Amino acid sequence: MKLQGNIVDVLNKRIFKGEITVENKRIISIEAKNHNEEHFILPGFIDAHIHIESSMLVPSEFAKIAVKHGTVATVSDPHEIANVCGLEGVKFMIENGKQVPLKFNFGAPSCVPATTFESAGATIDSNDIKALLQNPDIKYLAEMMNYPGVIFDDEEVLKKLAWAKHYNKPIDGHAPGVVGDDLTKYIAAGISTDHECFTYNEALEKLQKGMKVLIREGSAAKNFEALIDLLPEHFENIMFCSDDKHPDDLMLGHINQLCARAVAKEIDVFKTLQVACVNPVNHYNLDVGLLQVGDLADFIVVEDLVSFKTLQTYINGTLVYKNGESLIASVAFENINNFTCVAKQVSDFKVEILKEKIRVIEALEGQLVTNELVENAKIVNGNVVSDVENDVLKIAVVNRYQNQKPALAFIKNFGLKEGAIASSVGHDSHNIIAVGTSDEALCKAVNLIIENKGGICAVSSTQEKVLPLPIAGIISDEHAKIVAKKYQDIDAMAKRLGSNLNAPYMTLSFMALLVIPSLKLSDKGLFDGTNFKFTSLEVN
C-alpha cells in the first residue's frame, strides 16, 4: 500500500510532501515526493490513561468510535470492572479488546478494593498482582490510589510496587494534592506519573521532581485549562488523557480535541503532537508505531493541523476508519456481573438525628474533589428530608453485593427540583448511588437499578428512564450509538428534573470515591477524605 500526503515527522520536527509505503503491517519506506494532496499524515493519538468502562462500552465497541477521532491506542486501567468482578473482569476486558485492531494496553489494577472503608465485589492482592504482571498483555501497574499506604509504608502496597519493579513495568500514580515531603516519598517508591493534578503549581512541583504529568480532560474532571501552560516548557514529560469519558462525549471527540485546543493557544504543533502521540509510547513501551521507517503502520490522515479532523485511521497497516465510517465490526461476547442485593423499602431511607446542623457534601462542577459544608437540617416528623428549596438533597449509597441498609447523607449542587437519579456506576466499588428530592423517589430510583442488575436511571412521579448496564453493572452490551442516545436521553431528563450540572451522572459516580477529598459517602457511612476516616452526619 502507498499513501501520499504532507508527512508530519514529529520526532524530527519537520513536515514535507511525501509517500509512505506499507507492507506486512510495517512502514518500509517514507520518501519525499511531489503531489497535489493537501491532507496531513501523522502518528495516531494515544489516550495515556483511561478507564474504558467509563464509556459504558465494551472495548470492542469503544474502539469503533475512538478510531473516528484518530485514536490508535489507549493506556487502560481495568480497575472499574476489577472492583466488581476481580480477575475475571480484567480477563474479560483483555480478551474483548484483542478482537479488534485498536491497541488497548491494559494495566494491573493496584487498588482493588480502593479502600477498606467500602464494600467491593472483589480483592486483588499482591499475589494476584504478581500473576497479572507476568502476563505480557499487562503493560504496567495501574494507578496507585492508596497514596497514604505508600507514604506510611503499608506492607501490601509495597509488595505490589516491588512486583512491578521486578517485572520492569512502569507504575502509574494517583496523588491529588500530594506535595512536599509526602510527594518526594511517593515518587521515591518508583511511581512515575500523575493524572490527578488540578493546579498549575502542583503539576509543576511534580514535573520538577521527575514525574510525568498527564493533562486530564474527561467527562467529569477537566484540568486542561489549569495545566496547559506547562506544555511549552515541559512537553517531553507531559501526556494527554481522558481518565473517564462518557459515551456521548466520546461520540464528539477524543485526544484530537485536546490537540486542537492546544494549537489554538498557539502552542507549537510538534510539542503538542509529542504529548499526544509520542510520549505514551516511550513511557509505557507500547507496541505502537511513530511514523518512522520500520515502525508498525499506526498513523492517521487529518484534514489540517488546526482542527485535526480525522479522514482515515490505520492500525498495523489496516484501514480502520474512512470518510466518517468505522470499519471495525462488532464482536460477540458473554456478559459477566456481580449483583446480589434485593429491593429496598421507603422506610430504609429515613434519617433520624438529634442535632439541627448537618455536614453536607458540596459537589463541584468539573471536579472530583468536594467541599464540606454545614447546613440546617430540614426535619419532618423526626426524619431529615431533602430541602429542595435550599438544594440540600438526600444522597444514598446502597451495597449491591450484600443486603444492607443504605448509607445516607446530604449533598448540595445537584439542583433537582423533583424525582431522583441513580446509578450503579459509583467509583470505585460501584455500589448503587442515588440523589433524590424525596425518600419515595430515592427508593424508586434505587429499586429500578436493582431490578436491572445495574444501570443509570432518572425517575419522576410520571416517568422512568433507565439505561441497563448488564456487564458488571457498569457496561452496556449494546452498540455505541444506542448507548450514547439512551445516555443523552437520561442526562436530559436529569436536567429537566432540575440538575444544572454539566454531567450529573459523571459527578454522581464520584461522590462515593473516598480516595479523593474532601467529604464523600461510602456504603458504610459518611467519609472524611482529608483525614481518611469516617465522620458523623450531625455537627456538634
Side-chain angles (χ1 to χ4, degrees):
M1 180 195 79
K2 291 183 185 294
L3 191 67
Q4 295 179 341
N6 294 298
I7 292 167
V8 183
D9 183 352
V10 181
L11 298 189
N12 297 300
K13 297 183 170 53
R14 64 190 190 122
I15 299 172
F16 61 95
K17 282 189 173 292
E19 183 176 77
I20 296 170
T21 306
V22 175
E23 269 182 28
N24 297 326
K25 301 183 180 179
R26 293 189 181 270
I27 296 170
I28 61 164
S29 75
I30 301 176
E31 294 173 356
K33 189 169 188 175
N34 253 335
H35 53 73
N36 297 320
E37 298 289 356
E38 293 183 358
H39 57 235
F40 293 80
I41 304 172
L42 57 146
F45 301 126
I46 300 171
D47 191 330
H49 175 80
I50 185 169
H51 305 280
I52 300 296
E53 303 97 312
S54 66
S55 69
M56 302 182 191
L57 303 171
V58 291
S60 54
E61 287 296 318
F62 176 96
K64 286 165 66 173
I65 306 307
V67 295
K68 293 185 173 189
H69 309 306
T71 303
V72 299
T74 63
V75 179
S76 306
D77 177 5
H79 168 95
E80 312 302 346
I81 198 167
N83 266 287
V84 179
C85 298
L87 295 175
E88 185 192 2
V90 177
K91 183 182 176 188
F92 175 89
M93 298 298 278
I94 292 171
E95 294 307 316
N96 180 266
K98 276 182 176 178
Q99 296 183 65
V100 291
L102 191 114
K103 298 180 176 184
F104 294 100
N105 296 279
F106 287 106
S110 68
C111 298
V112 178
T115 72
T116 56
F117 301 102
E118 60 199 299
S119 304
T123 299
I124 293 180
D125 63 17
S126 55
N127 291 325
D128 297 322
I129 291 294
K130 178 188 177 185
L132 283 169
L133 290 168
Q134 286 173 334
N135 182 347
D137 291 326
I138 296 289
K139 305 293 185 184
Y140 66 106
L141 183 65
E143 56 180 312
M144 179 45 76
M145 304 170 89
N146 187 359
Y147 53 88
V150 178
I151 293 161
F152 297 110
D153 298 319
D154 178 278
E155 188 183 351
E156 184 69 3
V157 167
L158 295 182
K159 279 183 187 173
K160 291 175 180 178
L161 297 175
W163 282 124
K165 292 173 198 169
H166 176 80
Y167 290 107
N168 198 27
K169 294 187 177 181
I171 303 170
D172 262 6
H174 164 114
V178 178
V179 293
D181 291 345
D182 284 349
L183 176 62
T184 302
K185 182 164 185 183
Y186 189 74
I187 295 168
I191 297 165
S192 55
T193 69
D194 190 38
H195 58 273
E196 291 288 346
C197 305
F198 46 90
T199 69
Y200 179 97
N201 288 336
E202 178 192 349
L204 181 60
E205 181 183 347
K206 285 170 178 170
L207 286 163
Q208 288 169 339
K209 288 183 174 178
M211 277 189 130
K212 304 276 199 303
V213 165
L214 279 59
I215 295 179
R216 169 178 62 186
E217 191 78 355
S219 295
K222 298 180 187 294
N223 310 124
F224 181 91
E225 293 298 336
L227 305 181
I228 192 60
D229 289 344
L230 290 160
L231 194 152
E233 189 180 340
H234 299 277
F235 67 94
E236 291 174 318
N237 293 304
I238 286 176
M239 298 176 246
F240 286 144
C241 78
S242 304
D243 199 1
D244 293 284
K245 193 88 168 161
H246 264 182
D248 55 336
D249 284 345
L250 182 65
M251 297 297 281
L252 299 175
H254 198 191
I255 301 302
N256 58 323
Q257 294 174 319
L258 305 189
C259 293
R261 286 170 64 181
V263 169
K265 292 178 182 287
E266 299 185 348
I267 294 173
D268 177 76
V269 71
F270 292 114
K271 291 179 178 180
T272 299
L273 292 175
Q274 175 154 345
V275 167
C277 313
V278 178
N279 292 345
V281 173
N282 292 338
H283 181 74
Y284 293 101
N285 305 311
L286 305 182
D287 207 10
V288 178
L290 292 173
L291 203 61
Q292 302 294 305
V293 174
D295 279 3
L296 287 165
D298 304 318
F299 56 82
I300 61 177
V301 179
V302 300
E303 199 167 88
D304 55 50
L305 300 180
V306 179
S307 70
F308 294 92
K309 182 185 175 186
T310 306
L311 305 175
Q312 295 178 357
T313 302
Y314 292 84
I315 300 177
N316 286 348
T318 299
L319 182 64
V320 294
Y321 169 74
K322 183 182 182 181
N323 299 337
E325 186 186 356
S326 178
L327 305 177
I328 297 176
S330 294
V331 300
F333 52 85
E334 285 187 20
N335 294 357
I336 61 170
N337 205 348
N338 182 2
F339 213 109
T340 52
C341 70
V342 297
K344 304 299 168 197
Q345 309 295 321
V346 174
S347 58
D348 292 333
F349 296 88
K350 189 173 182 181
V351 175
E352 294 173 324
I353 59 169
L354 301 171
K355 303 283 191 299
E356 290 181 356
K357 297 279 187 186
I358 54 172
R359 282 186 179 82
V360 172
I361 302 164
E362 184 186 25
L364 303 172
E365 180 66 75
Q367 297 291 340
L368 311 190
V369 290
T370 63
N371 291 328
E372 177 179 322
L373 305 176
V374 175
E375 301 276 353
N376 293 317
K378 182 178 180 180
I379 302 170
V380 177
N381 299 327
N383 177 26
V384 187
V385 297
S386 290
D387 184 349
V388 176
E389 200 174 319
N390 293 304
D391 189 24
V392 177
L393 303 180
K394 194 173 284 188
I395 179 171
V397 175
V398 180
N399 184 332
R400 60 127 110 178
Y401 307 106
Q402 298 164 322
N403 285 313
Q404 304 284 355
K405 282 271 166 84
L408 302 166
F410 290 84
I411 193 162
K412 195 171 181 76
N413 285 346
F414 266 81
L416 298 176
K417 298 287 183 272
E418 63 167 316
I421 62 174
S423 173
S424 56
V425 178
H427 304 284
D428 272 320
S429 294
H430 301 293
N431 288 303
I432 303 163
I433 185 162
V435 172
T437 56
S438 69
D439 294 0
E440 290 76 11
L442 264 178
C443 186
K444 186 177 178 182
V446 165
N447 284 342
L448 192 53
I449 300 297
I450 293 170
E451 182 188 324
N452 283 278
K453 293 202 181 300
I456 65 166
C457 75
V459 302
S460 68
S461 56
T462 57
Q463 196 178 12
E464 294 180 358
K465 278 189 184 293
V466 62
L467 165 58
L469 300 173
I471 301 166
I474 57 175
I475 301 173
S476 171
D477 56 359
E478 294 193 280
H479 298 326
K481 282 183 180 172
I482 296 169
V483 177
K485 176 73 171 71
K486 286 185 178 178
Y487 177 77
Q488 283 172 325
D489 288 349
I490 292 173
D491 185 72
M493 181 172 169
K495 288 166 182 169
R496 285 198 303 277
L497 294 175
S499 182
N500 45 19
L501 289 168
N502 178 49
Y505 289 95
M506 189 58 99
T507 302
L508 180 67
S509 72
F510 288 105
M511 294 304 102
L513 182 57
L514 311 185
V515 294
I516 293 185
S518 166
L519 193 63
K520 297 289 174 79
L521 181 65
S522 103
D523 68 293
K524 296 181 178 181
L526 196 59
F527 191 78
D528 176 347
T530 306
N531 298 304
F532 234 66
K533 62 180 186 180
F534 286 110
T535 188
S536 63
L537 179 63
E538 298 173 76
V539 178
N540 292 323

